[in-house]
Amino acid sequence: MQTSMFKKIVQIVAFLSFILVTYFAMQACGFKIEALQKGLKDGMFFLTAMFPPNWTDFKSMVAPALETLALSILGTLLGSLVSFIIAIFAASNISNKWVKLFIRSFISIERSIPELFILLILIAAYGLGALSAVLALMIGCIGMLGKLFADAIEETPTSLIESMKASGASKIQIIYYGILPDVFPKLISYALFRLEINIRLSVMLGAIGAGGIGFELDYAFSMLQYNRALSSLIMVLILVIGIEQLSAYIRKRLLINQI
Amino acid sequence: MIKAVNLTKQLPNGKLLLNDISFEVRKGEFLGILGPSGAGKTLTLKSLIGLLDLTKGEVWIEESNNEHINIFKTKAKVLKKLRTKIALIFQGYHLVQRATAIDNVLMGRLGSISTFRSLIFGFNEIEKNAAMSSLEKVNMQHLAQAKVASLSGGEKQRVAIARALFQEPNLLLADEPISSLDPKNAKIIMGILKELSTLFPVIGVFHQPELCAKYCSRIIAIKDGKKVYDGPPVLEETLLEFIYGEELAIVIPEKYAN
């Protein structure tokens, strides 16, 4: 029986628990509020040192930004293709029980591995550069797109798949004619969403050797050229926000045109 | 002609889902399978095309050359060819929503086209014309280019039937084809199925005994996995009560009473 008195008590206990957990978490990781206050002054000085951005250098940021864009698009494209093939084996309506279980576990495991780690291993194998970056992004897609695509494929009604099977269609025909047409808008939508994530990832991975605008940003900071750093940061913002807006626009149009 | 012999399906815990079901259906017959929910009607239908693993039993299908084939004991290649001649329609959700009506009809013959050809070249003019005439037979040619998602329930079922016709089948199986249709469209579909039975045997699972009594040429009733009636479509109160028990009130709503 939930009287309002009971609910009040639950709320108070929840709130107190929240305070306690926050306190102990801060103790555990050495998070000190006084340090936060002290650093504020230094941080402000740092930020003002970055202004104004170096507009001459800004022009030289365009090529690296385009490089990052290209890496992200290629990585997302290849990643979507690979994820779709994997997703077919992970969908319960067209895969067998054991294969599905195995592939789904594989997808979950991939999801837990940070892309940073994947890139470092690839650099050890292929060296610095575009190949490692694209492969890292491509592999990174599997954890998310593999699951989303598989779930989307599972939405295809079993009666459709069974009537195609009953009339003798092959597995590939069932996928191409029966599943793909209806699931396609969802695939595009998820891929675009992943593109947004991959752009942000590319910038981060760029700093560790993938190249592009991320590299420029990291380089400028390490050379203490703060104005140049701000220019590259502005370029990053333009790139990320630009892609997010474009992606959101296309996805909204896809949603409206569902029929 | 299709002949089911002693179809039996037993679960590991001993329960019998199908209990020794046998019957034969020929061209010219429109067979209606009736029974309460869970009786085993859909399982029987699925057994007829080999989509269910039976504990015991055989299904014999007569090929165009008078040869009889046991579908559980044939090689995969022969079975696949056999399947291209068996059409199957469901209650709903068995069409590709974003594709046009004619595209859906064309999918009926995928079984007889090699995967390679279908993927690279698609369908040829002859096939497209034949698909159009299938649509004409169910009066849907004017909606050939319409996306299936924009069609009504009755129209969707007619597209499904056109797809079945396009297969030029030797047998048509229907699993509750009118259950999600309003009375007017239900009768249109039943009429079409009855007409088709002159070309090949039509077997349908239904929850609408009154419509079966009107359109089917023969009825089989299944209860608890056993066949309890096999004969002319004359259904008296006592028989219906015996088949359906408590479900009778749900199964015969007023809207069909005319």
Side-chain angles (χ1 to χ4, degrees):
Chain A
M1 268 243 293
Q2 295 219 320
T3 63
S4 51
M5 176 62 156
F6 179 74
K7 278 195 216 162
K8 269 273 153 56
I9 295 179
V10 168
Q11 279 174 345
I12 295 175
V13 169
F15 184 66
L16 285 176
S17 320
F18 174 72
I19 304 276
L20 273 174
V21 166
T22 309
Y23 175 71
F24 283 118
M26 283 168 70
Q27 297 294 78
C29 62
F31 183 89
K32 291 194 170 15
I33 308 227
E34 312 90 53
L36 192 71
Q37 271 185 311
K38 182 162 163 290
L40 214 58
K41 206 175 63 168
D42 296 332
M44 286 274 80
F45 169 74
F46 200 73
L47 279 177
T48 48
M50 287 170 76
F51 275 87
N54 187 332
W55 293 114
T56 354
D57 284 346
F58 191 73
K59 282 196 213 100
S60 65
M61 298 296 166
V62 175
L66 289 176
E67 190 186 332
T68 300
L69 182 61
L71 288 175
S72 313
I73 292 179
L74 191 57
T76 308
L77 216 66
L78 294 175
S80 304
L81 236 63
V82 169
S83 300
F84 181 67
I85 297 174
I86 293 180
I88 291 172
F89 293 99
S92 51
N93 48 3
I94 37 161
S95 182
N96 91 41
K97 198 169 71 163
W98 301 112
V99 171
K100 174 211 153 153
L101 204 59
F102 179 73
I103 299 287
R104 285 263 185 179
S105 313
F106 170 74
I107 293 176
S108 298
I109 291 174
E110 198 291 318
R111 199 159 53 239
S112 331
I113 305 177
E115 280 83 359
L116 174 61
F117 188 68
I118 298 176
L119 179 67
L120 290 176
I121 296 189
L122 286 169
I123 289 180
Y126 295 105
L128 296 169
L131 180 62
S132 308
V134 170
L135 284 178
L137 291 177
M138 180 182 102
I139 296 174
C141 284
I142 297 176
M144 176 176 142
L145 293 182
K147 173 172 165 49
L148 289 174
F149 285 2
D151 288 346
I153 292 175
E154 282 179 353
E155 282 178 23
T156 304
T158 17
S159 26
L160 172 56
I161 296 177
E162 280 188 344
S163 39
M164 289 183 81
K165 250 195 224 160
S167 64
S170 68
K171 265 248 162 86
I172 296 186
Q173 283 171 330
I174 294 178
I175 293 169
Y176 184 75
Y177 280 99
I179 298 180
L180 202 51
D182 278 344
V183 93
F184 199 63
K186 275 226 172 87
L187 300 186
I188 300 281
S189 187
Y190 290 143
L192 282 172
F193 182 58
R194 184 69 200 182
L195 178 62
E196 291 177 44
I197 295 176
N198 280 342
I199 291 266
R200 296 195 293 268
L201 270 177
S202 295
V203 173
M204 241 176 49
L205 299 180
I208 334 162
I213 195 81
F215 175 76
E216 291 294 330
L217 185 58
D218 178 67
Y219 183 76
F221 263 107
S222 44
M223 291 291 121
L224 307 181
Q225 292 174 348
Y226 296 123
N227 307 93
R228 186 184 169 88
L230 186 57
S231 313
S232 60
L233 188 62
I234 293 176
M235 184 55 88
V236 167
L237 285 175
I238 294 177
L239 184 62
V240 172
I241 296 177
I243 289 296
E244 284 185 359
Q245 291 305 308
L246 186 64
S247 165
Y249 174 73
I250 299 179
R251 277 158 51 221
K252 194 170 81 168
R253 292 296 302 272
L254 270 176
L255 200 63
I256 295 174
N257 292 342
Q258 261 316 300
I259 315 255
Chain B
M1 189 278 289
I2 180 166
K3 184 156 111 172
V5 180
N6 300 125
L7 302 181
T8 306
K9 170 87 181 161
Q10 184 171 39
L11 289 179
N13 64 7
K15 174 158 179 198
L16 283 164
L17 295 176
L18 291 179
N19 194 347
D20 232 10
I21 298 189
S22 303
F23 58 89
E24 195 178 309
V25 188
R26 306 184 157 276
K27 179 167 107 173
E29 293 193 85
F30 177 9
L31 176 70
I33 301 183
L34 298 173
S37 319
K41 310 186 293 297
T42 302
L43 289 181
T44 304
L45 208 65
K46 287 202 173 151
S47 312
L48 294 179
I49 16 172
L51 281 183
L52 180 71
D53 284 321
L54 291 175
T55 316
K56 203 176 58 165
E58 294 154 357
V59 173
W60 295 89
I61 297 192
E62 182 183 7
E63 274 268 84
S64 356
N65 56 0
N66 273 344
E67 229 180 79
H68 289 71
I69 299 187
N70 178 354
I71 64 168
F72 290 103
K73 293 219 159 45
T74 50
K75 292 186 287 233
K77 240 185 165 164
V78 177
L79 186 59
K80 181 171 145 121
K81 193 151 172 286
L82 197 67
R83 285 208 171 127
T84 60
K85 288 297 177 191
I86 301 178
L88 177 60
I89 57 181
F90 286 92
Q91 179 176 347
Y93 305 112
H94 50 146
L95 298 171
V96 179
Q97 299 296 313
R98 282 181 74 240
T100 59
I102 190 162
D103 282 338
N104 270 282
V105 172
L106 285 165
M107 281 166 58
R109 282 198 198 161
L110 282 176
S112 23
I113 301 174
S114 82
T115 304
F116 178 77
R117 201 263 268 186
S118 62
L119 252 53
I120 308 290
F121 299 108
F123 300 96
N124 59 37
E125 279 312 304
I126 303 175
E127 284 156 351
K128 289 188 189 151
N129 290 335
M132 242 344 207
S133 56
S134 295
L135 280 171
E136 275 165 19
K137 294 209 184 89
V138 292
N139 218 346
M140 284 289 294
Q141 69 279 19
H142 54 291
L143 289 170
Q145 299 299 336
K147 294 248 157 91
V148 162
S150 63
L151 301 176
S152 73
E155 289 167 338
K156 283 181 185 166
Q157 281 303 48
R158 282 189 278 159
V159 172
I161 293 179
R163 183 179 67 184
L165 280 175
F166 184 62
Q167 274 180 261
E168 289 175 348
N170 294 332
L171 171 65
L172 172 60
L173 302 175
D175 192 356
E176 295 196 41
I178 56 174
S179 290
S180 42
L181 298 180
D182 57 279
K184 175 170 153 233
N185 279 302
K187 289 188 187 154
I188 294 175
I189 298 298
M190 286 302 263
I192 296 176
L193 291 177
K194 180 172 167 170
E195 260 181 64
L196 294 180
S197 65
T198 56
L199 301 170
F200 38 78
V202 176
I203 305 178
V205 167
F206 297 102
H207 264 306
Q208 295 83 8
E210 316 242 299
L211 284 180
C212 274
K214 250 200 203 117
Y215 291 90
C216 297
S217 63
R218 182 170 144 219
I219 287 187
I220 282 180
I222 298 184
K223 180 172 163 171
D224 292 328
K226 272 184 98 76
K227 187 171 82 168
V228 297
Y229 179 82
D230 183 349
V234 180
L235 299 169
E236 308 132 351
E237 283 272 342
T238 38
L239 178 61
L240 284 173
E241 259 177 52
F242 170 62
I243 298 171
Y244 287 99
E246 284 158 10
E247 260 188 49
L248 195 56
I250 311 169
V251 163
I252 309 189
E254 280 73 65
K255 62 186 178 184
Y256 286 124
N258 66 343

Short mmCIF file of all heavy atoms in Angstrom, two decimals, chain A residues 100-136:
data_model
loop_
_atom_site.label_atom_id
_atom_site.label_comp_id
_atom_site.label_asym_id
_atom_site.label_seq_id
_atom_site.Cartn_x
_atom_site.Cartn_y
_atom_site.Cartn_z
N LYS A 100 23.33 -17.25 -34.39
CA LYS A 100 22.84 -15.97 -33.92
C LYS A 100 23.44 -15.65 -32.55
O LYS A 100 23.93 -14.54 -32.31
CB LYS A 100 21.31 -15.99 -33.84
CG LYS A 100 20.77 -14.72 -33.21
CD LYS A 100 19.49 -14.98 -32.44
CE LYS A 100 19.37 -13.93 -31.34
NZ LYS A 100 18.07 -13.61 -30.93
N LEU A 101 23.42 -16.63 -31.66
CA LEU A 101 23.93 -16.43 -30.31
C LEU A 101 25.40 -16.04 -30.35
O LEU A 101 25.83 -15.07 -29.71
CB LEU A 101 23.77 -17.74 -29.52
CG LEU A 101 23.70 -17.59 -28.00
CD1 LEU A 101 22.52 -16.71 -27.65
CD2 LEU A 101 23.54 -18.97 -27.38
N PHE A 102 26.16 -16.78 -31.15
CA PHE A 102 27.59 -16.55 -31.24
C PHE A 102 27.89 -15.16 -31.80
O PHE A 102 28.69 -14.40 -31.23
CB PHE A 102 28.22 -17.63 -32.13
CG PHE A 102 29.69 -17.47 -32.31
CD1 PHE A 102 30.56 -17.75 -31.28
CD2 PHE A 102 30.22 -17.01 -33.52
CE1 PHE A 102 31.94 -17.60 -31.43
CE2 PHE A 102 31.59 -16.85 -33.68
CZ PHE A 102 32.45 -17.15 -32.64
N ILE A 103 27.23 -14.82 -32.90
CA ILE A 103 27.48 -13.52 -33.54
C ILE A 103 27.05 -12.36 -32.64
O ILE A 103 27.73 -11.33 -32.55
CB ILE A 103 26.76 -13.45 -34.90
CG1 ILE A 103 27.28 -14.55 -35.83
CG2 ILE A 103 26.95 -12.08 -35.53
CD1 ILE A 103 28.66 -14.29 -36.36
N ARG A 104 25.91 -12.52 -31.97
CA ARG A 104 25.45 -11.44 -31.09
C ARG A 104 26.46 -11.22 -29.97
O ARG A 104 26.71 -10.08 -29.55
CB ARG A 104 24.09 -11.78 -30.49
CG ARG A 104 22.92 -11.63 -31.47
CD ARG A 104 22.24 -10.30 -31.31
NE ARG A 104 21.07 -10.17 -32.15
CZ ARG A 104 20.28 -9.12 -32.19
NH1 ARG A 104 20.55 -8.07 -31.43
NH2 ARG A 104 19.23 -9.09 -32.99
N SER A 105 27.04 -12.30 -29.44
CA SER A 105 28.05 -12.15 -28.38
C SER A 105 29.27 -11.43 -28.93
O SER A 105 29.82 -10.53 -28.29
CB SER A 105 28.49 -13.52 -27.85
OG SER A 105 27.39 -14.33 -27.60
N PHE A 106 29.64 -11.82 -30.15
CA PHE A 106 30.79 -11.18 -30.79
C PHE A 106 30.55 -9.68 -30.93
O PHE A 106 31.43 -8.86 -30.65
CB PHE A 106 31.01 -11.82 -32.17
CG PHE A 106 32.00 -11.10 -33.03
CD1 PHE A 106 33.35 -11.17 -32.75
CD2 PHE A 106 31.58 -10.32 -34.10
CE1 PHE A 106 34.28 -10.49 -33.54
CE2 PHE A 106 32.49 -9.65 -34.89
CZ PHE A 106 33.85 -9.72 -34.61
N ILE A 107 29.35 -9.31 -31.35
CA ILE A 107 29.00 -7.89 -31.52
C ILE A 107 29.10 -7.17 -30.17
O ILE A 107 29.63 -6.05 -30.08
CB ILE A 107 27.59 -7.74 -32.10
CG1 ILE A 107 27.55 -8.27 -33.54
CG2 ILE A 107 27.15 -6.29 -32.08
CD1 ILE A 107 26.17 -8.25 -34.16
N SER A 108 28.58 -7.78 -29.12
CA SER A 108 28.64 -7.14 -27.79
C SER A 108 30.07 -6.95 -27.33
O SER A 108 30.41 -5.91 -26.76
CB SER A 108 27.90 -8.00 -26.75
OG SER A 108 26.56 -8.12 -27.09
N ILE A 109 30.90 -7.96 -27.59
CA ILE A 109 32.29 -7.83 -27.18
C ILE A 109 32.96 -6.69 -27.91
O ILE A 109 33.68 -5.88 -27.32
CB ILE A 109 33.05 -9.16 -27.44
CG1 ILE A 109 32.54 -10.23 -26.49
CG2 ILE A 109 34.54 -8.97 -27.28
CD1 ILE A 109 33.11 -11.60 -26.75
N GLU A 110 32.70 -6.59 -29.22
CA GLU A 110 33.31 -5.50 -29.98
C GLU A 110 32.88 -4.16 -29.41
O GLU A 110 33.68 -3.22 -29.33
CB GLU A 110 32.88 -5.60 -31.46
CG GLU A 110 33.76 -4.80 -32.42
CD GLU A 110 33.61 -3.30 -32.24
OE1 GLU A 110 32.46 -2.84 -32.07
OE2 GLU A 110 34.64 -2.59 -32.21
N ARG A 111 31.62 -4.09 -29.00
CA ARG A 111 31.09 -2.84 -28.47
C ARG A 111 31.83 -2.38 -27.22
O ARG A 111 31.93 -1.20 -26.93
CB ARG A 111 29.59 -2.98 -28.18
CG ARG A 111 28.87 -1.65 -28.08
CD ARG A 111 27.37 -1.75 -28.30
NE ARG A 111 26.74 -2.73 -27.47
CZ ARG A 111 26.06 -3.77 -27.95
NH1 ARG A 111 25.94 -3.93 -29.24
NH2 ARG A 111 25.49 -4.64 -27.13
N SER A 112 32.37 -3.34 -26.47
CA SER A 112 33.05 -2.98 -25.22
C SER A 112 34.48 -2.51 -25.43
O SER A 112 35.10 -1.99 -24.51
CB SER A 112 33.06 -4.17 -24.27
OG SER A 112 31.97 -5.00 -24.48
N ILE A 113 35.02 -2.73 -26.63
CA ILE A 113 36.41 -2.34 -26.85
C ILE A 113 36.49 -0.89 -27.32
O ILE A 113 35.90 -0.53 -28.33
CB ILE A 113 37.08 -3.24 -27.92
CG1 ILE A 113 36.93 -4.71 -27.53
CG2 ILE A 113 38.53 -2.88 -28.09
CD1 ILE A 113 37.49 -5.66 -28.55
N PRO A 114 37.24 -0.05 -26.61
CA PRO A 114 37.34 1.36 -27.01
C PRO A 114 38.04 1.49 -28.36
O PRO A 114 39.03 0.80 -28.62
CB PRO A 114 38.17 2.00 -25.90
CG PRO A 114 38.21 1.01 -24.80
CD PRO A 114 38.02 -0.33 -25.40
N GLU A 115 37.53 2.38 -29.21
CA GLU A 115 38.11 2.56 -30.54
C GLU A 115 39.57 2.96 -30.48
O GLU A 115 40.37 2.65 -31.36
CB GLU A 115 37.32 3.62 -31.33
CG GLU A 115 36.04 3.12 -31.96
CD GLU A 115 34.89 3.11 -30.96
OE1 GLU A 115 35.13 3.48 -29.81
OE2 GLU A 115 33.78 2.76 -31.35
N LEU A 116 39.93 3.67 -29.39
CA LEU A 116 41.30 4.09 -29.20
C LEU A 116 42.23 2.89 -29.20
O LEU A 116 43.26 2.85 -29.87
CB LEU A 116 41.40 4.81 -27.84
CG LEU A 116 42.77 5.24 -27.37
CD1 LEU A 116 43.37 6.20 -28.35
CD2 LEU A 116 42.68 5.87 -26.00
N PHE A 117 41.80 1.88 -28.47
CA PHE A 117 42.57 0.65 -28.35
C PHE A 117 42.71 -0.04 -29.71
O PHE A 117 43.79 -0.50 -30.08
CB PHE A 117 41.84 -0.25 -27.34
CG PHE A 117 42.59 -1.46 -26.96
CD1 PHE A 117 43.76 -1.36 -26.20
CD2 PHE A 117 42.16 -2.73 -27.35
CE1 PHE A 117 44.47 -2.49 -25.83
CE2 PHE A 117 42.87 -3.86 -26.98
CZ PHE A 117 44.02 -3.74 -26.23
N ILE A 118 41.59 -0.09 -30.44
CA ILE A 118 41.60 -0.71 -31.77
C ILE A 118 42.59 0.01 -32.67
O ILE A 118 43.37 -0.62 -33.40
CB ILE A 118 40.20 -0.66 -32.40
CG1 ILE A 118 39.21 -1.44 -31.56
CG2 ILE A 118 40.22 -1.21 -33.81
CD1 ILE A 118 37.78 -1.38 -32.06
N LEU A 119 42.58 1.35 -32.60
CA LEU A 119 43.49 2.12 -33.45
C LEU A 119 44.94 1.82 -33.11
O LEU A 119 45.78 1.63 -34.00
CB LEU A 119 43.23 3.63 -33.32
CG LEU A 119 44.15 4.50 -34.17
CD1 LEU A 119 43.86 4.26 -35.66
CD2 LEU A 119 44.02 5.96 -33.84
N LEU A 120 45.26 1.75 -31.82
CA LEU A 120 46.65 1.51 -31.43
C LEU A 120 47.14 0.16 -31.96
O LEU A 120 48.26 0.03 -32.45
CB LEU A 120 46.78 1.57 -29.91
CG LEU A 120 46.61 2.97 -29.32
CD1 LEU A 120 46.65 2.94 -27.79
CD2 LEU A 120 47.71 3.90 -29.84
N ILE A 121 46.29 -0.84 -31.87
CA ILE A 121 46.67 -2.15 -32.39
C ILE A 121 46.88 -2.09 -33.90
O ILE A 121 47.83 -2.65 -34.44
CB ILE A 121 45.60 -3.20 -32.06
CG1 ILE A 121 45.51 -3.38 -30.55
CG2 ILE A 121 45.90 -4.50 -32.76
CD1 ILE A 121 44.65 -4.52 -30.12
N LEU A 122 45.97 -1.36 -34.59
CA LEU A 122 46.10 -1.25 -36.04
C LEU A 122 47.35 -0.49 -36.44
O LEU A 122 48.00 -0.80 -37.43
CB LEU A 122 44.86 -0.58 -36.63
CG LEU A 122 43.62 -1.48 -36.66
CD1 LEU A 122 42.39 -0.67 -36.99
CD2 LEU A 122 43.81 -2.59 -37.68
N ILE A 123 47.71 0.51 -35.64
CA ILE A 123 48.93 1.27 -35.94
C ILE A 123 50.13 0.36 -35.80
O ILE A 123 51.07 0.42 -36.59
CB ILE A 123 49.04 2.51 -35.02
CG1 ILE A 123 48.00 3.55 -35.42
CG2 ILE A 123 50.44 3.11 -35.11
CD1 ILE A 123 48.01 4.79 -34.58
N ALA A 124 50.09 -0.50 -34.79
CA ALA A 124 51.19 -1.45 -34.62
C ALA A 124 51.28 -2.37 -35.84
O ALA A 124 52.36 -2.75 -36.27
CB ALA A 124 50.98 -2.28 -33.35
N ALA A 125 50.13 -2.69 -36.44
CA ALA A 125 50.12 -3.59 -37.58
C ALA A 125 50.39 -2.88 -38.91
O ALA A 125 51.12 -3.38 -39.75
CB ALA A 125 48.78 -4.31 -37.65
N TYR A 126 49.76 -1.71 -39.10
CA TYR A 126 49.83 -1.05 -40.40
C TYR A 126 50.52 0.30 -40.38
O TYR A 126 50.62 0.97 -41.41
CB TYR A 126 48.42 -0.85 -40.96
CG TYR A 126 47.71 -2.13 -41.26
CD1 TYR A 126 46.70 -2.61 -40.44
CD2 TYR A 126 48.06 -2.90 -42.37
CE1 TYR A 126 46.05 -3.79 -40.70
CE2 TYR A 126 47.42 -4.08 -42.65
CZ TYR A 126 46.42 -4.53 -41.81
OH TYR A 126 45.79 -5.69 -42.08
N GLY A 127 50.97 0.73 -39.19
CA GLY A 127 51.63 2.03 -39.14
C GLY A 127 50.63 3.16 -39.07
O GLY A 127 49.42 2.96 -39.15
N LEU A 128 51.19 4.39 -38.91
CA LEU A 128 50.33 5.56 -38.84
C LEU A 128 49.70 5.82 -40.20
O LEU A 128 50.26 5.48 -41.23
CB LEU A 128 51.16 6.80 -38.43
CG LEU A 128 51.81 6.78 -37.05
CD1 LEU A 128 52.79 7.92 -36.94
CD2 LEU A 128 50.74 6.90 -35.98
N GLY A 129 48.54 6.48 -40.22
CA GLY A 129 48.00 6.87 -41.51
C GLY A 129 46.56 6.50 -41.73
O GLY A 129 45.88 5.98 -40.85
N ALA A 130 46.11 6.76 -42.95
CA ALA A 130 44.69 6.65 -43.27
C ALA A 130 44.17 5.22 -43.14
O ALA A 130 43.06 4.99 -42.67
CB ALA A 130 44.43 7.16 -44.68
N LEU A 131 44.96 4.23 -43.55
CA LEU A 131 44.49 2.84 -43.52
C LEU A 131 44.08 2.44 -42.11
O LEU A 131 42.99 1.92 -41.88
CB LEU A 131 45.57 1.90 -44.06
CG LEU A 131 45.20 0.42 -44.07
CD1 LEU A 131 44.01 0.18 -44.97
CD2 LEU A 131 46.37 -0.44 -44.52
N SER A 132 44.98 2.67 -41.15
CA SER A 132 44.67 2.31 -39.76
C SER A 132 43.43 3.04 -39.27
O SER A 132 42.58 2.46 -38.59
CB SER A 132 45.83 2.63 -38.84
OG SER A 132 47.01 2.08 -39.34
N ALA A 133 43.36 4.34 -39.63
CA ALA A 133 42.22 5.13 -39.16
C ALA A 133 40.91 4.58 -39.70
O ALA A 133 39.95 4.37 -38.96
CB ALA A 133 42.40 6.58 -39.58
N VAL A 134 40.86 4.34 -41.02
CA VAL A 134 39.62 3.84 -41.62
C VAL A 134 39.25 2.48 -41.05
O VAL A 134 38.10 2.21 -40.73
CB VAL A 134 39.76 3.76 -43.16
CG1 VAL A 134 38.58 3.03 -43.76
CG2 VAL A 134 39.86 5.15 -43.75
N LEU A 135 40.25 1.59 -40.92
CA LEU A 135 39.97 0.26 -40.37
C LEU A 135 39.44 0.36 -38.94
O LEU A 135 38.51 -0.36 -38.56
CB LEU A 135 41.22 -0.61 -40.40
CG LEU A 135 41.60 -1.17 -41.76
CD1 LEU A 135 42.90 -1.98 -41.65
CD2 LEU A 135 40.49 -2.05 -42.31
N ALA A 136 40.04 1.28 -38.15
CA ALA A 136 39.58 1.43 -36.77
C ALA A 136 38.12 1.86 -36.73
O ALA A 136 37.31 1.32 -35.97
CB ALA A 136 40.45 2.44 -36.03
#
